[in-house]
Amino acid sequence: MEIAKFIERAQAGDQVALTYLLDFYWNEVYGFMLVRTENEADTDDITIETFAKAFEKIKTYNPEFQFNTWLIAIAKNVHIDMIRKRKSSPFVTIDDFDNSEFLNLPDTSLSAEDELIQEQNLARLLKYIKELKPHYQEVIQLRYFQEMSYQEIADKLEQPLSNVKIRILRAKNLLAEIIRGRK
């Protein structure tokens, strides 16, 4: 079956077609972003976010353009957003300063109030995660709390890597919907 048919089926909500498109284009998007970022962790995050955004907006895809070009454009925008977020973030990397500047850093440990707020936020997040189906809870827990790689999760669950990527993507989207619904 040609790619256009899978795209049409994906636009109609066919999960098998979405999985096929993820498998078919994953390496192309991942490879493109790896060259740009030179960082595997960032590339994983960007690629997952790219497919999440693409699948969320797949009905807006214009077939006059190549699907891979559309995905790459989304990936570039996700990467730009990541860079902007980092520039606006109060966190810095060790490479940003020479070592002498670290000698006069203020104490940034959390106050008792800040620790309590952080614990409450984590408790709320865990409550939201428990609203997910068990197989989604499991991949969220493995990826974000045990910090396992996608491949490690696939090995542990004895699932193909593409299935794990899609399950994590769906879990993140469902979790975001739950959180938005509570605000």
Side-chain angles (χ1 to χ4, degrees):
M1 185 183 315
E2 68 180 72
I3 265 311
K5 295 289 183 203
F6 282 103
I7 294 168
E8 286 175 23
R9 287 177 39 202
Q11 288 175 320
D14 183 341
Q15 294 298 316
V16 173
L18 290 171
T19 302
Y20 178 83
L21 293 172
L22 179 87
D23 287 342
F24 190 82
Y25 288 107
W26 178 269
N27 288 339
E28 184 174 351
V29 173
Y30 186 90
F32 177 82
M33 290 314 304
L34 186 59
V35 170
R36 289 178 69 108
T37 66
E38 298 178 348
N39 179 311
E40 288 183 17
D42 285 348
T43 300
D44 273 341
D45 292 341
I46 291 168
T47 306
I48 286 285
E49 184 74 19
T50 297
F51 282 98
K53 286 180 184 272
F55 292 165
E56 187 176 296
K57 303 287 185 188
I58 196 157
K59 290 183 181 179
T60 66
Y61 167 69
N62 182 348
E64 292 178 21
F65 302 101
Q66 293 290 323
F67 192 72
N68 61 338
T69 304
W70 185 64
L71 288 171
I72 294 295
I74 294 170
K76 286 179 183 178
N77 290 333
V78 169
H79 184 222
I80 290 167
D81 289 345
M82 177 187 278
I83 291 168
R84 285 183 184 146
K85 283 179 189 171
R86 285 190 180 153
K87 284 184 179 179
S88 67
S89 171
F91 299 104
V92 294
T93 63
I94 292 175
D95 297 336
D96 292 342
F97 302 100
D98 65 25
N99 290 335
S100 64
E101 292 185 39
F102 286 106
L103 298 176
N104 295 321
L105 287 179
D107 180 14
T108 58
S109 59
L110 296 176
S111 68
E113 294 85 9
D114 290 337
E115 285 182 16
L116 182 60
I117 290 169
Q118 194 173 38
E119 286 175 20
Q120 288 172 343
N121 287 339
L122 180 59
R124 189 177 310 129
L125 177 62
L126 290 172
K127 186 178 106 188
Y128 294 151
I129 291 171
K130 286 182 181 178
E131 293 182 34
L132 295 171
K133 291 182 179 177
H135 62 280
Y136 291 137
Q137 289 179 28
E138 181 178 33
V139 293
I140 290 287
Q141 201 273 336
L142 293 172
R143 177 70 178 149
Y144 297 103
F145 291 95
Q146 292 186 21
E147 298 181 355
M148 293 175 76
S149 71
Y150 294 108
Q151 187 60 57
E152 290 170 331
I153 296 169
D155 293 343
K156 180 176 177 71
L157 299 178
E158 298 178 356
Q159 292 283 320
L161 183 60
S162 61
N163 288 5
V164 168
K165 290 174 185 175
I166 286 185
R167 191 177 295 174
I168 290 171
L169 177 66
R170 288 181 188 150
K172 285 172 54 177
N173 287 339
L174 290 169
L175 187 58
E177 286 176 24
I178 291 169
I179 291 169
R180 270 184 283 209
R182 300 295 193 265
K183 288 188 177 181

